[in-house]
Amino acid sequence: MFKSGVSQGRWEWKKGTNQQSGEDQAVSPERLLFLENKKKRKNQIRFTQIFLLIFILLLWEVTARLGIIDSFIMSQPTRILKTFANLSNNDLMLHLGVTCYETLVGFLIGACGGTCIAIALWWSDFLSKVFEPFLVVLNSLPKIALGPVIIIWVGAGTNAIIVMALAISMIVTVLEMLNGFVNTDSEKLKMVKTFGANRLQTFTTVVFPSNIHTLFNSLKINIGLSLVGVIAGEFLVSKAGLGYLIVYGGQVFKLDLVMASVIILSIVAALMYQAVVILERWITRLISPSR
Amino acid sequence: MQDLLRVEDLVAKYQADNGEITALEDISFTVQEGEFISIVGPSGCGKSTLLSMIAGLTKPTAGNIVIEGEPLVPGKVHTSIGYMLQRDNLLEWRTIFRNVTLGLEIQHTMTSENIEYVTNLLKTYGLYEFKDKYPSQLSGGMRQRAALIRTLAIRPKILLLDEAFSALDYQTRLAVTEDVYRILKQENKTALMVTHDIPESISMADRVIVLSRRPAHIQGIHTISFDMPDRTPLNCREHPKFQEYFNTIWKELDVHV
Ligand SMILES: Nc1ncnc2c1ncn2[C@@H]1O[C@H](COP(=O)(O)OP(=O)(O)OP(=O)(O)O)[C@@H](O)[C@H]1O
Ligand SMILES: [Mg+2]
């Protein structure tokens, strides 16, 4: 029914990667060779990745030193490093904290609120039919366009930034979760109905547990989108946070600061995503240790 | 003796956007306690519809369903009916024990007496050691057995089986029908089974109801009796009368390719 566009497994579900490790079996020479080749290949890929990174950094540094590129505009790895070294001078940690706080609050409210709304819409077929066109329009609207309105309504501060993050991440959660709920295996639904399950029991015994994957997929999307919302909000509000630092650095031509902030931002984004992945693994193992 | 189940002039019509589909037309039959009834009929004739009406999941357009003299309230699931579907539908995130007690949990009847009953079923039918395992760790036949125990746990008087074995491969299927037959006879259950497989329908049944093409009415009801002291679905297939029954039912089904 609803198409959120993000639901088509962009984050491919990594299932059964360590399932068929036949440890109990005797290992044949062919298997050993296969495993060795596999490991070799993995190492090759990792090595090339590291090499590429170092190469680019070196190229950047050398061209900057030789004056081929203007380090004032393009910055330069050593200068970025220096910026990191003077973290306390730039209040980088403070801004990092602000951004993390806003992202986490936006993420939590967005995930919980979005899921609750999805449950309500699943519960009442009528409601979901009524809201369908509105949700579709809201989903395709670029939420950043609402920025000025949000600032006027809730004031230019942390709240506006969190609302911005919510606006961006919540609708996707609603659509994603609802899509999962609606597509629950109808045979399983029929099975619990034959025991006379009511709507609440149907939800708690079948619909929700079979959508744990959906939930985590939408959390993974959500954490990224919350960060997008927070940075966009900080651009607009311009008081604190990594987004503010980037805008400020750009305005006063401190490109080292901009680059350092961007690097920190990408590390934060990766860590947050990884945290969701770890949480997912932990919860999945808790619910059903066999998988 | 009072009939355990009486189906009277049952009519089922589906309203779709592109018109009305009459699935069942004037279906009437009775079932006695302890009987095993097979229902065969062409694809799409309304067999599943019939079962889901008896289970109270679908409201009949007309007609009555009477269980132990009490008319069924449509839309209200009758607790004396157990329904087994084609797939086992075990919930992957629950242990076998929590799967087989799902019905009790939903009906708020997790009494120590019922739990003991389920535990006994698990022990008798060889699943007790697996009670803390997850469905993915069981073979197809064991899963089907677990699904049967889940259905039996609520102690239904009548069991409805809708192509309950068709998801299994042929050999497992023979073994599982053997199992299920033994379990049902041992627990003295009444059963209505829908199947596409004529030999299977004969091998398990006391009576076979043959439905016509849609709109389905009853084409014939055949009493199956092999005078064998210890009849099982497997050994009755060797009985000379088996082929006779098969031919009659095959002709009556009137299958056109
Ligand atoms: N919810 C529904 N809405 C409209 N038509 C339906 C619905 N359910 C079933 N039908 C129609 O009613 C007829 C009987 O369906 P039913 O599932 O009872 O047949 P069946 O005998 O069990 O078929 P099969 O042998 O394929 O399992 C079919 O033609 C089907 O298209
Ligand atoms: Mg059917």
Side-chain angles (χ1 to χ4, degrees):
Chain A
M1 69 192 289
F2 292 105
K3 280 214 183 76
S4 65
V6 213
S7 61
Q8 265 80 35
R10 192 184 293 172
W11 280 272
E12 202 43 61
W13 184 251
K14 289 211 185 86
K15 195 172 156 191
T17 34
N18 40 14
Q19 218 163 38
Q20 58 274 73
S21 55
E23 279 144 80
D24 304 342
Q25 299 160 3
V27 191
S28 70
E30 291 83 3
R31 172 112 196 119
L32 275 178
L33 192 69
F34 168 79
L35 289 177
E36 198 175 314
N37 281 339
K38 199 172 148 186
K39 203 169 149 196
K40 219 187 252 170
R41 194 172 159 72
K42 205 173 144 192
N43 284 340
Q44 274 170 358
I45 291 173
R46 189 45 46 86
F47 177 78
T48 316
Q49 285 167 338
I50 293 170
F51 175 78
L52 207 63
L53 193 65
I54 294 176
F55 177 75
I56 290 171
L57 287 176
L58 272 181
L59 192 72
W60 188 0
E61 180 69 31
V62 170
T63 47
R65 289 213 174 174
L66 294 179
I68 301 172
I69 57 171
D70 188 347
S71 65
F72 183 66
I73 297 175
M74 296 293 290
S75 186
Q76 180 180 345
T78 41
R79 290 174 60 165
I80 296 172
L81 269 181
K82 230 175 271 163
T83 315
F84 276 124
N86 307 338
L87 276 187
S88 45
N89 289 353
N90 305 312
D91 285 336
L92 243 167
M93 282 331 252
L94 182 81
H95 292 292
L96 173 63
V98 169
T99 298
C100 284
Y101 164 75
E102 290 161 346
T103 309
L104 284 181
V105 173
F107 169 73
L108 288 177
I109 300 178
C112 297
T115 309
C116 289
I117 293 174
I119 293 173
L121 292 179
W122 171 82
W123 200 280
S124 158
D125 200 42
F126 181 75
L127 274 189
S128 95
K129 281 279 177 307
V130 168
F131 282 109
E132 185 174 347
F134 298 109
L135 283 173
V136 169
V137 170
L138 273 182
N139 187 40
S140 43
L141 176 82
K143 262 71 70 181
I144 297 181
L146 298 177
V149 183
I150 291 173
I151 289 179
I152 292 169
W153 283 352
V154 294
T158 314
N159 286 345
I161 295 170
I162 292 173
V163 172
M164 192 77 212
L166 276 179
I168 289 187
S169 69
M170 196 140 94
I171 303 286
V172 176
T173 311
V174 173
L175 291 177
E176 190 88 345
M177 290 310 292
L178 185 58
N179 196 35
F181 289 160
V182 169
N183 287 319
T184 309
D185 186 357
S186 59
E187 280 256 311
K188 290 207 165 75
L189 294 180
K190 191 170 175 187
M191 185 271 292
V192 289
K193 268 193 208 127
T194 65
F195 291 123
N198 59 30
R199 202 112 175 109
L200 179 64
Q201 288 172 322
T202 308
F203 185 78
T204 53
T205 55
V206 176
V207 176
F208 191 73
S210 51
N211 278 294
I212 296 282
H213 293 346
T214 322
L215 177 65
F216 278 103
N217 276 345
S218 77
L219 288 188
K220 284 177 199 164
I221 298 166
N222 213 328
I223 191 88
L225 288 181
S226 297
L227 200 53
V228 171
V230 164
I231 297 299
E234 287 172 353
F235 279 3
L236 290 173
V237 173
S238 270
K239 283 202 175 130
L242 290 176
Y244 156 74
L245 217 53
I246 291 169
V247 168
Y248 165 79
Q251 280 164 352
V252 300
F253 274 94
K254 276 192 178 175
L255 265 296
D256 310 334
L257 188 60
V258 174
M259 292 296 181
S261 307
V262 170
I263 289 172
I264 290 182
L265 193 57
S266 50
I267 294 172
V268 167
L271 286 182
M272 284 179 174
Y273 185 83
Q274 211 51 41
V276 177
V277 172
I278 289 169
L279 183 72
E280 170 174 28
R281 223 172 277 156
W282 185 66
I283 298 266
T284 322
R285 206 161 297 161
L286 205 70
I287 303 172
S288 115
S290 79
R291 284 187 298 171
Chain B
M1 198 178 104
Q2 194 184 39
D3 303 321
L4 182 59
L5 168 71
R6 209 163 66 235
V7 174
E8 296 168 336
D9 310 316
L10 204 65
V11 177
K13 285 183 186 159
Y14 283 109
Q15 300 300 336
D17 292 339
N18 53 358
E20 194 177 73
I21 299 171
T22 308
L24 301 172
E25 209 173 54
D26 288 333
I27 303 283
S28 304
F29 61 89
T30 57
V31 179
Q32 311 303 324
E33 190 158 0
E35 249 189 326
F36 196 114
I37 309 279
S38 291
I39 301 170
V40 291
S43 263
C45 73
K47 302 180 294 293
S48 300
T49 307
L50 176 60
L51 288 198
S52 93
M53 283 180 175
I54 296 172
L57 294 176
T58 316
K59 195 171 174 292
T61 313
N64 294 313
I65 294 165
V66 183
I67 296 167
E68 293 186 299
E70 270 182 56
L72 189 87
V73 186
K76 193 170 174 296
V77 174
H78 205 288
T79 46
S80 61
I81 290 188
Y83 198 160
M84 224 174 131
L85 303 164
Q86 182 173 347
R87 285 189 286 130
D88 54 57
N89 289 309
L90 295 175
L91 304 177
E92 298 296 336
W93 52 89
R94 282 174 170 245
T95 60
I96 295 303
F97 186 76
R98 294 200 56 222
N99 260 296
V100 295
T101 51
L102 182 67
L104 299 177
E105 197 181 305
I106 288 172
Q107 299 179 355
H108 305 294
T109 47
M110 281 284 253
T111 58
S112 55
E113 194 193 341
N114 281 338
I115 289 175
E116 198 184 310
Y117 178 66
V118 172
T119 311
N120 276 334
L121 284 176
L122 285 172
K123 274 186 188 147
T124 320
Y125 304 115
L127 280 178
Y128 188 71
E129 304 97 271
F130 296 92
K131 73 179 180 35
D132 296 321
K133 295 263 192 299
Y134 287 84
S136 58
Q137 294 164 299
L138 264 60
S139 71
M142 279 153 85
R143 291 177 64 122
Q144 209 65 26
R145 233 183 296 156
L148 178 64
I149 294 175
R150 179 184 61 201
T151 315
L152 292 177
I154 57 165
R155 304 196 206 204
K157 294 228 173 66
I158 307 172
L159 216 73
L160 308 175
L161 304 127
D162 194 350
E163 296 178 42
F165 315 116
S166 57
L168 303 170
D169 64 82
Y170 188 66
Q171 266 138 58
T172 317
R173 184 170 177 161
L174 283 184
V176 170
T177 41
E178 197 79 358
D179 254 7
V180 168
Y181 186 81
R182 186 172 49 93
I183 296 171
L184 292 184
K185 287 290 153 193
Q186 220 158 306
E187 308 291 327
N188 193 28
K189 294 288 178 202
T190 312
L192 260 81
M193 177 179 80
V194 163
T195 176
H196 269 126
D197 185 337
I198 304 175
E200 185 175 281
S201 74
I202 301 168
S203 73
M204 298 182 79
D206 298 313
R207 279 191 294 155
V208 177
I209 297 179
V210 182
L211 296 180
S212 69
R213 258 175 295 152
R214 215 183 61 218
H217 51 261
I218 293 184
Q219 193 89 327
I221 300 183
H222 302 270
T223 307
I224 309 286
S225 92
F226 303 103
D227 26 339
M228 296 169 86
D230 47 356
R231 169 191 171 182
T232 72
L234 263 187
N235 70 16
C236 76
R237 285 174 193 245
E238 259 119 66
H239 199 279
K241 273 163 89 184
F242 194 87
Q243 192 59 38
E244 244 174 76
Y245 286 131
F246 179 88
N247 291 340
T248 329
I249 291 170
W250 170 257
K251 271 199 210 103
E252 205 167 271
L253 267 175
D254 192 22
V255 183
H256 299 289
V257 188

